C-alpha cells in the first residue's frame, strides 16, 4: 500500500520508491519463476476467412504466480525486457511451443511473439534454428510476430535478423499494426509476410468510420505488396462480417476461440461462424 504524505497525498518520491520496489520484487520473482517453471503457454486459433479452417495458433505466455495467481503478460513482459530475462523466457517459449506444434496436423502453423530485445541481443537466428531442429518443426510452419518497436532502435541489426529468419523459411508478421506512428512506411521498407491489424480497429469499426477507412486502405496496400492480413480481437459476428467484406484474409479473436492450453485446442473448422 502507498504511504500517505503529510497532506494525505502520496508524495512523488514515495510513489517512485513504491514503484521501484514493486518492480524490483517482480524482477526477483520472475527469476524464481523461470527456475520453478511457473510459466505456461496458451494457444489461440487463427482462422482462414475463405474456408473457415483453423490455419494456425498463436502462443501466449501465462504466468501462474504461487501467491498472486495469474499475472498478465502486460505486467511482467516489460519487466522481463528491462532486465534482460526475456532472452531466457523467449528461448523457453520457442522451444516449448515448437515441441507442442509438431504434434498439430500439418500444415497448421505456430505463431510466437518476439520482443525487440530478443532481436537486438544474443543470437536469435541460432535459437530459432535450434528450436526447429530439436522439435523437428519445419520452418514453414513457424511464424514470428514482431511489433514496429523493433525498428525504434537497432534498425540495421534487426532488419538483418528478420532477413535471416525469412531465409530460414520462417515467416514474419507485423503485430499490432496501426497503433504506432509510421506504420504505413514500415510496410514498404521491411519484408513482412503478414500484418496483424490491431484489435483497436476490430473493436471500433462499427462506431468509428475512420477505423473502417483505415482498415480498407491497409488492406489495399497490403494486397498491392503481396502481404496477407489478419484481424485480431474479433469478438462479434458483425465485426467479422464487416472485416471479411473489407477483404481481411485471416481472423483471430474470442469469436473463434479464446487462448487455451494446448490440450484444449480444437482444430475443427469454424464453418458455423464463417459461412
Ligand atoms: P498480442 O500479441 O497482441 O496478443 C493478443 C492479445 O489479445 C492476447 O492478450 C490475447 O489474449 C488477447 N485477445 C485475443 N482475442 C481477443 C479478443 O477477441 N478480445 C480481446 N479483448 N482480447 C483478445 P494476452 O495473452 O494478455 O497478451 C498480451 C500481450 O503480451 C501480447 O499481445 C503480446 O504482446 C505479449 N505476449 C504474450 N505472450 C508473449 C510471449 O511469449 N513473448 C512476448 N515477447 N510477448 C508476449
Ligand atoms: Ca499469422
Ligand atoms: Ca501477437
Ligand atoms: Ca497484437
Amino acid at each position: 500500500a502507498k504511504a500517505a504524505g503529510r497532506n494525505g497525498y502520496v508524495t512523488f518520491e514515495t510513489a517512485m520508491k513504491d514503484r521501484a520496489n514493486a518492480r524490483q520484487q517482480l524482477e526477483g520473482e520472475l527469476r524464481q519463476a523461470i527456475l520453478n517453471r511457473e510459466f505456461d503457454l496458451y494457444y489461440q486459433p487463427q482462422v482462414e476467412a475463405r474456408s473457415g479452417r483453423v490455419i494456425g495458433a498463436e502462443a501466449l505466455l501465462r504466468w501462474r504466480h504461487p501467491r498472486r495467481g495469474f499475472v498478465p503478460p502486460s505486467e511482467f513482459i516489460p519487466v522481463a525486457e528491462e532486465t534482460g530475462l526475456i532472452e531466457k523466457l523467449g528461448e523457453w517459449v520457442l522451444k516449448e511451443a515448437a515441441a507442442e506444434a509438431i504434434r498439430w496436423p500439418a500444415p497448421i502453423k505456430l505463431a510466437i511473439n518476439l520482443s525487440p530485445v530478443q532481436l537486438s541481443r544474443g543470437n536469435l537466428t541460432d535459437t530459432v534454428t535450434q528450436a526447429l531442429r530439436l522439435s523437428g518443426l519445419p520452418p514453414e510452419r513457424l511464424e514470428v510476430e514482431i511489433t514496429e518497436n523493433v525498428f525504434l532502435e537497432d534498425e540495421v541489426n534487426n532488419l538483418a535478423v528478420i532477413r535471416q529468419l525469412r531465409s530460414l523459411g520462417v515467416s514474419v508478421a507485423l503485430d499490432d499494426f496501426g497503433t504506432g506512428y509510421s506504420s504505413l512506411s514500415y510496410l514498404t521498407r521491411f519484408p513482412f509476410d503478414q500484418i496483424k491489424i490491431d484489435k483497436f480497429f476490430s473493436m471500433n469499426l462499427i462506431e468509428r468510420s475512420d477505423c473502417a477507412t483505415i482498415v480498407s486502405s491497409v488492406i489495399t496496400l497490403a494486397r498491392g505488396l503481396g502481404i496477407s492480413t489478419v484481424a485480431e480481437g474479433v469478438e462479434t459476428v458483425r465485426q467479422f462480417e464487416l472485416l471479411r467484406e473489407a477483404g481481411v484474409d485471416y481472423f483471430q479473436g474470442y469469436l473463434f476461440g479464446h487462448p487455451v492450453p494446448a490440450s484444449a485446442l480444437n482444430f475443427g473448422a469454424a464453418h458455423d461462424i464463417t459461412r
Side-chain angles (χ1 to χ4, degrees):
K2 288 191 172 69
R6 232 193 310 159
N7 313 318
Y9 293 104
V10 176
T11 63
F12 179 69
E13 205 185 349
T14 320
M16 289 301 283
K17 273 187 192 150
D18 271 6
R19 198 191 294 174
N21 286 340
R23 202 187 140 287
Q24 208 164 48
Q25 193 186 335
L26 196 61
E27 177 181 345
E29 290 176 343
L30 215 44
R31 282 182 200 284
Q32 203 54 47
I34 296 175
L35 298 172
N36 294 353
R37 303 178 173 277
E38 289 163 15
F39 291 100
D40 224 343
L41 287 175
Y42 274 36
Y43 299 88
Q44 187 179 34
Q46 301 181 333
V47 170
E48 185 179 42
R50 199 161 35 83
S51 63
R53 287 211 184 95
V54 175
I55 49 83
E58 177 180 2
L60 294 160
L61 198 50
R62 296 290 177 260
W63 179 14
R64 239 171 274 286
H65 190 282
R67 275 172 297 106
R68 285 192 283 150
F70 168 72
V71 184
S74 57
E75 221 174 282
F76 70 82
I77 297 228
V79 178
E81 288 178 333
E82 284 164 37
T83 54
L85 286 169
I86 194 72
E87 276 187 81
K88 268 248 159 318
L89 202 52
E91 190 175 331
W92 177 82
V93 168
L94 257 165
K95 291 186 174 160
E96 178 79 11
E100 185 57 47
I102 190 65
R103 302 158 60 185
W104 301 348
I108 289 176
K109 278 176 102 162
L110 165 70
I112 62 143
N113 293 286
L114 290 181
S115 153
V117 179
Q118 288 174 276
L119 279 94
S120 300
R121 293 205 218 165
N123 201 332
L124 182 64
T125 313
D126 283 350
T127 309
V128 169
T129 308
Q130 212 182 12
L132 292 171
R133 209 180 37 220
L134 279 172
S135 62
L137 190 73
E140 295 71 30
R141 288 180 61 194
L142 177 66
E143 183 165 72
V144 295
E145 300 189 353
I146 58 174
T147 64
E148 61 186 41
N149 293 339
V150 155
F151 304 112
L152 291 181
E153 282 170 45
D154 244 356
E155 177 180 313
V156 173
N157 170 73
N158 293 353
L159 179 57
V161 174
I162 289 169
R163 292 220 166 95
Q164 282 168 20
L165 292 175
R166 291 188 86 228
S167 68
L168 291 178
V170 171
S171 50
V172 179
L174 183 58
D175 206 351
D176 301 342
F177 186 80
T179 56
Y181 289 103
S182 33
S183 298
L184 288 183
S185 74
Y186 285 118
L187 287 187
T188 54
R189 280 166 59 217
F190 302 105
F192 297 108
D193 301 280
Q194 185 167 79
I195 63 176
K196 299 190 77 176
I197 302 169
D198 192 74
K199 53 176 168 281
F200 175 84
F201 295 94
S202 309
M203 289 169 168
N204 291 287
L205 195 65
I206 295 167
E207 293 79 21
R208 293 178 50 163
S209 64
D210 56 335
C211 283
T213 308
I214 292 170
V215 168
S216 352
S217 21
V218 166
I219 291 166
T220 306
L221 182 60
R223 282 206 175 138
L225 294 167
I227 302 171
S228 66
T229 50
V230 188
E232 343 179 83
V234 180
E235 296 183 356
T236 69
V237 174
R238 185 80 191 113
Q239 291 168 350
F240 164 69
E241 285 171 350
L242 286 173
L243 288 160
R244 185 177 54 180
E245 278 158 31
V248 171
D249 302 306
Y250 303 99
F251 289 86
Q252 195 178 340
Y254 297 161
L255 179 64
F256 301 96
H258 285 254
V260 290
S263 58
L265 263 179
N266 177 3
F267 294 115
H271 279 306
D272 45 329
I273 298 164
T274 56
R275 203 187 305 274

